[in-house]
Amino acid sequence: MENKTFLNNQVKQPKIEKGGCCYSRHTKNCCFVCCVLGALLLLLGVVVLAAGRGLLMSVVLSTMPLKDGTDRFNSWLNPPVQPHLTGYAFNVTNPDDVIQGMKPILQEVGPFVYKAVTVKDSRDNLVFNDDGETLTYRPRKFYFIDLEQSVGDPDKTFITAPNIPMLSALSSIKDDTFTKGIATGAILRTGFGTPFVNVSFSGLLWGYEDALPCFKIQRPSHCPAPDVKFETKETEDEEEDDWFDNDDFRRRRKRSVEEAETNLRDADFEAWQKPKKGGYENCTCMWGLFRDRNVTLRKPVTMYHGMSDLSMKGWVKEFDSSPVMNWWVKDSECDKLGGQDGGTLPPGLLKEDSLDMFIDLMCRRLSLSFEKEIKYPKDLVANRYIPPANALGSHLDKNPERKNEDNACYCVDGFKCLRSGVLNMAPCKRTPELPTGAPLALSYPHFYQADPHYLNAVEGLSPDKERHEFYVDVSPEFGFPLAIRPRFQLNLIISRDEDIPIMSKFPEELVLPFLWAQDGFDHPSEEMAGAIRKGLDIPSKYSRLLGVIDRKSTRLNSSHARYL
């Protein structure tokens, strides 16, 4: 090539371009893009590792509302854990002495364990409401005796218990004037006529023969004249065969855990249910404490399903189609509905949060506070919530540890307000037939955390935190209860009545325990624990996996750029 010279005689050198594809403009652009993409992927990997678990946890939480057709809704209908109702009776070993005013000596008898099956959607008794926030359901509960876990056969285990129908009837006329004598005579002549009766444990819960509860009920027209003979303690042994020939008792004895596996959503409920505690059954008057709670359709519960606000999931809005209970002081905090519906809890419950629960059997809400962490299999950690020591405290108690000003609204005009640890349930037990309510009182078992007055009035009780405390163990991330143990004791309030000889020597007021029970379950099933563990592991595992993939992608892009 000929070199050209300029005017200054300098020679112009030809421009020699470097050869090879690595120096092309296209390759440079490709390298730049790869570097930028690699940096972005590296940044994304860091973000995924740092915040991916939270993002994935949000995805998991989005499946928590009770939405029709989802796995979460189906697990609410059919929980992956089996609840049980465990009952203990208090046998009064000295009933004649108690009638004479002496201290009752009690013997705990139990446990008797029943498999508890709750059907929430029988015969379309579950609807999602038009407000888009709530659902309403009417549960049916079925109880099946589990003899293997029970101390014995409840049909063959007899106890001496207070005669609740008679004592309730006498309590309702205590302040009457002109008609009290006539009413007293009628009450004592109908049924057993004594303050204590000897009945089976099954009879106490599900029904035993007693004519008094049917005194104001019209006898079915097809039934023959009533038999005046009633079973007593002296005749129970010789008549035991006839007692258990009763068709209802044969059916009850045949109930077993296996029978609960049948389809209970469309069964012949009318043939099983007993709408009242007392009533005619095969022309025989029967009364049982929980006779109206087995099979019978319960009152409707309206609660938030969590689709619009997950934090409200399970919160009770209405009970029996009312936003208030209509039991306690009108317009008071005690009478307001609210609290969680049993085992339906929202996710994200913190240790500093209180756990407010509505328990219809207790006729009230109960606020629980964090106590400690509890470890379960599958490396699950739950927060345990328990009621504070003054949860059932009286607003009049002089002991500051038991006193609770907030409970003043549970004292209703016309009803006696009891000491700390014992709630007068008469206001919530009022019926048209019994406008003064049944003289029942609620406490924790063995008068745990109650005023010592009640424990000192009887013999045979031993309050114990481990056996008698109400508690709920919650997996905080998802709000799943790993254990829930509502524990309560039912007591009869017996008052002296000097106008009635058989009641004239009782103490002025005796709060007599006759039953305590615990509901729910005390540990998660294998299926339940495994599902919760899987749900907790998914966010961490997938965030780490995505982080590893991002890092590998970044290295690959870097290598690609280097070789380009």
Side-chain angles (χ1 to χ4, degrees):
M1 178 182 295
E2 182 180 356
N3 294 329
K4 296 182 178 180
T5 60
F6 292 92
L7 294 175
N8 58 2
N9 295 322
Q10 291 182 344
V11 179
K12 180 180 178 181
Q13 300 294 329
K15 186 176 180 180
I16 301 176
E17 294 185 359
K18 295 182 180 180
C21 64
C22 292
Y23 294 94
S24 70
R25 179 174 299 176
H26 172 74
T27 301
K28 290 180 179 179
N29 292 338
C30 182
C31 290
F32 176 77
V33 170
C34 288
C35 290
V36 172
L37 183 60
L40 290 175
L41 288 174
L42 178 62
L43 179 62
L44 179 62
V46 173
V47 171
V48 167
L49 286 173
R53 186 180 188 281
L55 295 174
L56 290 172
M57 180 65 79
S58 298
V59 174
V60 175
L61 290 177
S62 68
T63 68
M64 292 294 113
L66 300 178
K67 184 178 180 180
D68 192 12
T70 62
D71 290 341
R72 189 67 52 227
F73 180 71
N74 291 331
S75 67
W76 174 69
L77 292 178
N78 303 288
V81 64
Q82 178 56 63
H84 289 85
L85 174 69
T86 303
Y88 299 80
F90 290 109
N91 178 44
V92 181
T93 62
N94 61 334
D96 294 335
D97 294 337
V98 177
I99 294 174
Q100 297 300 316
M102 298 181 67
K103 182 182 294 189
I105 300 175
L106 306 179
Q107 175 193 18
E108 184 180 277
V109 180
F112 297 99
V113 182
Y114 295 84
K115 183 177 180 179
V117 180
T118 302
V119 178
K120 304 182 179 79
D121 58 345
S122 64
R123 295 188 183 174
D124 300 324
N125 282 304
L126 188 155
V127 295
F128 284 83
N129 299 313
D130 294 337
D131 61 10
E133 296 183 335
T134 62
L135 61 83
T136 299
Y137 73 99
R138 296 190 68 181
R140 292 184 192 269
K141 280 204 172 184
F142 300 80
Y143 296 100
F144 302 89
I145 185 63
D146 188 341
L147 292 175
E148 291 185 0
Q149 296 192 59
S150 300
V151 72
D153 189 338
D155 293 343
K156 297 180 179 179
T157 304
F158 282 78
I159 57 170
T160 298
N163 186 347
I164 298 175
M166 190 197 84
L167 294 171
S168 297
L170 293 178
S171 175
S172 68
I173 63 169
K174 189 174 188 297
D175 296 326
D176 287 358
T177 53
F178 300 109
T179 61
K180 183 175 181 179
I182 298 174
T184 300
I187 292 170
L188 296 180
R189 287 193 303 269
T190 308
F192 292 94
T194 178
F196 295 95
V197 292
N198 191 263
V199 297
S200 68
F201 185 84
S202 290
L204 178 64
L205 263 59
W206 315 119
Y208 63 88
E209 183 178 349
D210 187 353
L212 182 59
C214 300
F215 183 74
K216 295 183 179 180
I217 301 176
Q218 184 176 0
R219 188 175 181 82
S221 58
H222 66 277
C223 295
D227 186 355
V228 296
K229 184 179 180 181
F230 295 99
E231 179 154 0
T232 63
K233 182 176 181 179
E234 288 75 17
T235 61
E236 72 182 31
D237 293 334
E238 58 191 73
E239 293 183 1
E240 184 173 348
D241 292 339
D242 292 336
W243 176 268
F244 288 114
D245 280 342
N246 181 286
D247 289 340
D248 180 70
F249 273 83
R250 280 206 302 272
R251 283 198 304 273
R252 192 178 296 118
R253 293 182 71 189
K254 290 178 181 177
R255 287 182 182 175
S256 63
V257 172
E258 288 74 23
E259 289 186 52
E261 304 303 326
T262 60
N263 182 10
L264 297 176
R265 284 176 170 75
D266 298 296
D268 186 9
F269 304 123
E270 287 76 15
W272 297 350
Q273 66 186 11
K274 313 295 186 296
K276 293 184 178 181
K277 297 184 186 299
Y280 281 105
E281 192 172 319
N282 298 327
C283 295
T284 300
C285 186
M286 307 289 290
W287 183 91
L289 186 68
F290 294 157
R291 183 174 179 267
D292 58 341
R293 298 186 68 85
N294 197 4
V295 182
T296 304
L297 196 63
R298 306 288 181 83
K299 294 177 180 179
V301 177
T302 298
M303 70 177 191
Y304 291 90
H305 47 56
M307 282 188 278
S308 59
D309 184 354
L310 188 56
S311 67
M312 292 294 290
K313 176 186 174 184
W315 188 264
V316 177
K317 183 179 181 180
E318 293 183 355
F319 179 74
D320 197 17
S321 305
S322 173
V324 294
M325 300 182 200
N326 294 309
W327 297 326
W328 311 111
V329 174
K330 188 177 181 180
D331 298 328
S332 69
E333 286 296 319
C334 299
D335 205 46
K336 288 182 180 179
L337 255 298
Q340 299 297 140
D341 176 55
T344 312
L345 308 177
L349 195 64
L350 303 177
K351 293 179 179 178
E352 56 266 28
D353 294 334
S354 62
L355 178 56
D356 197 357
M357 302 187 71
F358 171 67
I359 307 167
D360 67 309
L361 185 64
M362 299 177 71
C363 296
R364 60 167 291 166
R365 293 163 60 174
L366 199 63
S367 182
L368 284 66
S369 302
F370 172 78
E371 182 196 26
K372 59 184 178 181
E373 291 185 345
I374 301 292
K375 293 184 178 180
Y376 283 97
K378 306 286 186 183
D379 294 325
L380 297 178
V381 179
N383 293 338
R384 172 161 291 185
Y385 293 83
I386 63 172
N390 68 341
L392 299 181
S394 168
H395 65 292
L396 300 175
D397 201 316
K398 295 181 180 180
N399 185 327
E401 295 182 359
R402 293 194 302 261
K403 186 174 183 178
N404 190 334
E405 296 283 357
D406 294 336
N407 285 339
C409 45
Y410 287 111
C411 293
V412 181
D413 289 343
F415 295 87
K416 185 174 179 60
C417 195
L418 302 176
R419 305 186 192 200
S420 289
V422 180
L423 173 67
N424 187 352
M425 298 180 72
C428 78
K429 297 300 179 182
R430 287 174 285 188
T431 64
E433 298 83 12
L434 201 62
T436 59
L440 292 175
L442 179 109
S443 68
Y444 297 133
H446 287 239
F447 291 129
Y448 175 67
Q449 292 184 337
D451 189 299
H453 164 82
Y454 297 112
L455 187 62
N456 295 332
V458 298
E459 291 185 13
L461 302 186
S462 299
D464 180 74
K465 175 181 171 64
E466 296 300 319
R467 292 190 67 227
H468 304 138
E469 186 173 59
F470 185 129
Y471 69 88
V472 180
D473 292 347
V474 182
S475 175
E477 294 87 352
F478 299 141
F480 293 142
L482 301 185
I484 178 168
R485 274 302 192 199
R487 289 166 169 162
F488 60 90
Q489 177 174 291
L490 294 178
N491 315 273
L492 193 68
I493 305 173
I494 304 175
S495 300
R496 178 191 302 159
D497 191 335
E498 296 181 354
D499 296 331
I500 305 173
I502 201 171
M503 302 297 298
S504 62
K505 295 184 179 179
F506 274 91
E508 185 67 28
E509 179 183 84
L510 173 64
V511 178
L512 181 66
F514 61 90
L515 176 79
W516 80 266
Q518 60 181 10
D519 205 354
F521 52 94
D522 56 15
H523 63 275
S525 64
E526 281 288 327
E527 176 188 357
M528 182 179 179
I532 295 174
R533 182 70 270 165
K534 182 179 179 180
L536 292 172
D537 288 344
I538 284 176
S540 297
K541 287 183 177 179
Y542 277 82
S543 64
R544 287 197 299 268
L545 177 61
L546 291 174
V548 170
I549 291 175
D550 282 337
R551 288 198 301 272
K552 287 185 177 179
S553 298
T554 302
R555 287 198 296 269
L556 180 61
N557 280 306
S558 299
S559 299
H560 183 58
R562 187 166 59 250
Y563 286 107
L564 289 177

